[in-house]
C-alpha cells in the first residue's frame, strides 16, 4: 500500500512535552513577568511559554542560559552558545520577554565578590592584608580514639570455628594437589 502519511517536520515539531504547561498554570502569564527589568550583560534563562506565540525562540534554545546584548520594547537580544561539530558558536537571537526569566546561575559568584570586597575594606581600615582566595578543604585533622577494654568488640570467629575452617582449607588444598611421584601427561 505504501506510505500513507508524511512525517511532519514543522518549526515546532517534537515539542508536545517540552512546551506543555505545568498543572494549574494555563493561560497567559501574569503582569509581573513583564515588569522585570533587564540590562545588558544580565544572565537570562530561556523558558518558552507556549501561551505566547510571538517572539518564541526555536525549541533547541528552551532551557538554555544566555547573556543579554540588546534591550528592546518587548524583546531582548540574547547571546547563547551552541555546540556545532567541534566548535562553539555564539548565536544571537531576539526573544520576547514572556519567554525569559532572570537566571540565578551567578548568584553565588556575586555574593562571593561582595563578601571578599567587604573583607578587603575591613582589612585596609585595620592596616592588614587579607587573602580572599578560596582554599581547598584538604585532608581531615588527625585524631586518636581512646577506649577502655570493655568497649572493644573483636569481630572474629571463635577459636573452634577457626580450627574447623583451617582444617577444611587444608583438605581442599590436598585434594587439588596431585600426589607426589606421579607425572602429569604432556
Amino acid at each position: 500500500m505504501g506510505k500513507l502519511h508524511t512525517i511532519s517536520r514543522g518549526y515546532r515539531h517534537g515539542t508536545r512535552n517540552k512546551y506543555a504547561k505545568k498543572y494549574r498554570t494555563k493561560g497567559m502569564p501574569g503582569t509581573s513577568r513583564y515588569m522585570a527589568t533587564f540590562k545588558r550583560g544580565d544572565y537570562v534563562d530561556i523558558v518558552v511559554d507556549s501561551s505566547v506565540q510571538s517572539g518564541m525562540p526555536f525549541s533547541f534554545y528552551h532551557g538554555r542560559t544566555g547573556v543579554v546584548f540588546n534591550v528592546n520594547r518587548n524583546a531582548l537580544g540574547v547571546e547563547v552558545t551552541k555546540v556545532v561539530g567541534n566548535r562553539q558558536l555564539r548565536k544571537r537571537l531576539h526573544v520576547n520577554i514572556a519567554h525569559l526569566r532572570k537566571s540565578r546561575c551567578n548568584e553565588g559568584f556575586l555574593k562571593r565578590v561582595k563578601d571578599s570586597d567587604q573583607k578587603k575594606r575591613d582589612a585596609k581600615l585595620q592596616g592588614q592584608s587579607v587573602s580572599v582566595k578560596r582554599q581547598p578543604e584538604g585532608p581531615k585533622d588527625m585524631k586518636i580514639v581512646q577506649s577502655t577494654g570493655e568497649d572493644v568488640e573483636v569481630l572474629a570467629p571463635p577459636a573452634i570455628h577457626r580450627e574447623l575452617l583451617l582444617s577444611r582449607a587444608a583438605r581442599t588444598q590436598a585434594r587439588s594437589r596431585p600426589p607426589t611421584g606421579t607425572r602429569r601427561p604432556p
Side-chain angles (χ1 to χ4, degrees):
M1 191 82 187
K3 196 162 132 185
L4 296 176
H5 72 284
T6 57
I7 296 170
S8 168
R9 284 283 177 259
Y11 193 71
R12 287 179 60 168
H13 75 88
T15 59
R16 174 185 284 197
N17 297 321
K18 189 180 272 194
Y19 286 177
K21 299 197 78 164
K22 301 279 188 294
Y23 177 62
R24 292 175 66 184
T25 60
K26 281 171 71 175
M28 299 300 283
T31 53
S32 61
R33 182 82 68 82
Y34 296 99
M35 301 298 281
T37 55
F38 296 96
K39 296 175 184 171
R40 286 194 309 175
D42 284 356
Y43 284 91
V44 289
D45 295 332
I46 300 172
V47 182
V48 174
D49 188 343
S50 55
S51 61
V52 180
Q53 284 84 39
S54 62
M56 185 184 284
F58 184 64
S59 61
F60 168 83
Y61 301 103
H62 175 77
R64 310 273 166 172
T65 301
V67 182
V68 176
F69 73 88
N70 185 25
V71 181
N72 290 337
R73 186 167 53 92
N74 293 325
L76 293 179
V78 182
E79 194 171 80
V80 187
T81 57
K82 181 178 184 179
V83 176
V84 179
N86 63 345
R87 64 201 189 280
Q88 273 192 341
L89 300 179
R90 294 216 309 269
K91 309 282 278 187
R92 288 184 154 202
L93 40 140
H94 280 81
V95 183
N96 191 317
I97 293 172
H99 308 298
L100 297 171
R101 56 188 67 170
K102 288 202 170 185
S103 180
R104 300 181 62 193
C105 66
N106 65 339
E107 267 183 5
F109 169 72
L110 293 173
K111 184 177 182 296
R112 202 171 73 242
V113 168
K114 194 176 177 183
D115 292 346
S116 62
D117 287 345
Q118 183 64 41
K119 285 178 187 172
K120 285 178 191 171
R121 256 184 263 119
D122 294 346
K124 194 173 183 183
L125 287 172
Q126 294 172 356
Q128 299 172 348
S129 64
V130 66
S131 175
V132 291
K133 285 186 177 179
R134 291 176 291 171
Q135 296 297 328
E137 192 177 323
K140 292 179 180 172
D141 292 334
M142 179 195 74
K143 59 183 177 185
I144 297 170
V145 179
Q146 292 180 342
S147 66
T148 60
E150 299 165 2
D151 297 342
V152 178
E153 184 180 341
V154 179
L155 297 173
I160 300 165
H161 295 302
R162 201 174 312 127
E163 289 170 7
L164 285 171
L165 290 171
L166 288 172
S167 64
R168 274 192 198 150
R171 275 183 284 176
T172 54
Q173 281 182 351
R175 273 195 226 128
S176 62
R177 224 182 288 139
T180 55
T182 59
R183 290 183 58 203
R184 286 189 182 167

